[in-house]
Amino acid sequence: MSQTYTNPFDDEKNQFYVLKNANQQYSIWPDFSPVPLGWENQFGPEGKAACLAFIETNWLDIRR
């Protein structure tokens, strides 16, 4: 029997959180999964596009 697995980050119907860690790095995270230790919720749950827009607006590039 074959099982098909899908990546939750690829499913545009999923809702996500924007998380931030102590190094001020951002990540999106599926709303159905517990927030990993060391990360805090900053935004959401929202659609993937809204979460990515939030990161684009709020993550300062430390290389500048």
Side-chain angles (χ1 to χ4, degrees), residues 15-63:
Q15 294 285 294
F16 296 90
Y17 291 112
V18 174
L19 307 181
K20 185 166 78 170
N21 67 17
N23 294 325
Q24 308 302 305
Q25 297 167 317
Y26 286 88
S27 179
I28 63 170
W29 195 253
D31 71 338
F32 60 81
S33 186
V35 174
L37 290 176
W39 292 83
E40 294 184 8
N41 183 19
Q42 301 294 301
F43 179 76
E46 289 288 339
K48 185 176 178 180
C51 289
L52 293 174
F54 179 90
I55 292 171
E56 182 70 28
T57 301
N58 291 282
W59 191 349
L60 301 176
D61 188 347
I62 61 173
R63 298 173 292 177

